[in-house]
């Protein structure tokens, strides 16, 4: 079985955290991860083109172990759409959006929808940093996913951070969209992860660490300690991510 980390961040973030390719690969080796989907950090001075290029460069030197996503800032308008088209044309496997760090609401029909629709036109999945108050709450994420129902939406952090009160229920409402999938990262309650599989199927849950924001070792344990069958765990730990991001070559 090929184990695929559904998301880690590479580079040096404007917000103070960092992870380089060598550190990422060493961490992956330590927890038995073969391949990882990688997104750029929020770059200093907001130069997303340079950040995407830097990620593409280290990915090209990783023997296929790091798979790049394109990150854009929707506030850049047509330039963001152009950057997405350029990066995907050069090998990026999907679009990454971080509503909190770039300060936009994911369900903004004017600002964000054209970029999401562009990703659908390019036939690449959309991954969204999820669960941030006002910017990427579950119902907002579900509304955005409805724009392109035939294109895959992957939500980090189980679709929400706060699994008390109504947030867990709202995350399930977002998963009511058949194109919505969620990451295991940051979900401290095993019963939530198990519930996603029981209610929506193992195909909708993807292992991810979101390193360095979370710890690779601990995030791997989330899946290992949850009550999944061997067949379910195989999908969660890599099969689903390979299918969604077209990574048949790494699982062959």
């Amino acid at each position: 079985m090929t184990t695929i980390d559904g998301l880690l961040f590479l580079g040096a973030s404007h917000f103070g955290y960092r992870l380089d390719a060598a550190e990422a690969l060493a961490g992956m080796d330590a927890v038995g991860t073969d391949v990882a989907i990688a997104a750029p950090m929020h770059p200093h001075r907001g130069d997303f083109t340079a950040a995407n290029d830097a990620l593409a460069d280290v990915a090209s030197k990783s023997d296929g172990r790091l798979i790049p996503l394109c990150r854009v800032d929707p506030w850049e308008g047509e330039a963001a759409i152009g950057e997405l088209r350029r990066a995907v044309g050069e090998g990026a496997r999907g679009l990454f959006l971080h509503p909190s760090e770039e300060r936009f609401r994911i369900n903004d029909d004017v600002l964000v929808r054209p970029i999401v629709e562009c990703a659908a036109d390019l036939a690449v999945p959309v991954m969204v940093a999820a669960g941030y108050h006002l910017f990427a709450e579950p119902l907002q994420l579900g509304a955005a996913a409805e724009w392109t129902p035939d294109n895959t939406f992957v939500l980090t952090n189980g679709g929400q951070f706060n699994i008390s009160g109504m947030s867990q229920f709202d995350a399930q409402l977002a998963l009511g969209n058949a194109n919505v999938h969620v990451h295991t990262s940051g979900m401290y309650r095993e019963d939530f992860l198990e519930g996603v599989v029981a209610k929506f199927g193992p195909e909708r849950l993807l292992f991810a660490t979101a390193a360095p924001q979370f710890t690779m070792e601990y995030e791997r344990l989330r899946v290992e300690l949850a009550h999944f069958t061997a067949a379910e765990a195989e999908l969660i730990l890599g099969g689903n991510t390979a299918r969604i991001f077209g990574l048949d070559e790494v699982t062959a």
Side-chain angles (χ1 to χ4, degrees), residues 8-43:
L8 55 76
F9 296 94
L10 288 180
S13 172
H14 175 77
F15 300 103
Y17 57 93
R18 62 175 300 281
L19 183 69
D20 65 31
E23 293 167 329
L25 291 169
M28 290 161 60
D29 288 340
V31 299
T33 296
D34 302 295
V35 177
I37 304 292
M41 305 278 192
H42 180 100

Side-chain angles (χ1 to χ4, degrees), residues 15 67 142 161 173 178 184 202 216:
F15 300 103
I67 308 298
F161 273 133
L173 289 177
T184 59
M216 286 188 184

Side-chain angles (χ1 to χ4, degrees), residues 39-41 43 46-57 68-97 102 114-116 118-119 122 124:
M41 305 278 192
D47 190 347
F48 285 91
T49 296
N52 289 325
D53 285 345
L55 176 57
D57 181 59
L69 301 179
C70 170
R71 181 169 177 170
V72 299
D73 183 350
W75 291 105
E76 297 295 326
E78 287 296 326
I81 293 174
E83 173 60 11
L84 174 60
R85 291 189 180 278
R86 181 194 73 87
V88 170
E90 295 180 4
R93 295 296 184 100
L95 166 66
F96 182 81
L97 296 173
E102 273 79 83
I115 298 172
V116 170
C118 179
L122 295 170
V124 295

Side-chain angles (χ1 to χ4, degrees), residues 140-191:
Q140 294 174 306
L141 293 157
E146 291 176 359
W147 293 333
T148 55
D150 294 326
N151 197 42
T152 300
F153 247 65
V154 179
L155 311 180
T156 70
N157 312 318
Q160 39 82 44
F161 273 133
N162 178 15
I163 58 176
S164 63
M166 295 298 291
S167 289
Q168 184 173 353
F169 178 72
D170 288 348
Q172 292 182 355
L173 289 177
L175 280 159
N177 295 290
N179 61 329
V180 170
H181 301 66
V182 295
H183 279 165
T184 59
S185 55
M187 287 294 98
Y188 66 89
R189 282 183 56 174
E190 294 170 19
D191 62 337

